[in-house]
Amino acid sequence: MIVTTTPSVEGRHIAQYRGIVFGEVISGVNVFKDFAAGLSNFFGGRSGTYEDELAAARTTALRELEERAAALGANAVVGVDIDYEVLGSDNGMLMVTASGTAVVLE
């Protein structure tokens, strides 16, 4: 499965458009991850805990996007956009959404 942010794939012709597909992940950040991130915030530096959580959520959202495209008979997703949001009263939830157009390439 080809997944790209561009509206087309160089050297390939889009034979069919199968529709818009999404992959969504909402991930909670638990108290232990929050504590570790708080230490990074206090002492400075990067929060590996949050970075790992973000990377895992993005990977899962893209995998879900690919699975939904394949279920429509597509072999590629073009125009992919990834959005990030924080949710919840204490901003303790992370939402990652990947969207794009499922297509069949020749």
Side-chain angles (χ1 to χ4, degrees), residues 33 36-38 40-41 44-53:
K33 291 179 183 178
S40 294
N41 189 33
R46 296 170 61 168
S47 172
T49 304
Y50 281 161
E51 288 176 359
D52 292 345
E53 187 69 32

Side-chain angles (χ1 to χ4, degrees), residues 11-69:
R12 304 285 297 269
H13 173 73
I14 295 176
Q16 295 178 345
Y17 290 86
R18 295 294 174 108
I20 298 171
V21 288
F22 297 90
E24 304 95 1
V25 174
I26 298 177
S27 177
V29 181
N30 66 34
V31 67
F32 300 110
K33 291 179 183 178
D34 235 5
F35 177 75
L39 291 175
S40 294
N41 189 33
F42 181 77
F43 293 110
R46 296 170 61 168
S47 172
T49 304
Y50 281 161
E51 288 176 359
D52 292 345
E53 187 69 32
L54 182 62
R58 182 177 51 244
T59 299
T60 302
L62 286 169
R63 185 175 359 153
E64 191 174 290
L65 175 91
E66 289 181 36
E67 289 171 1
R68 290 180 177 170

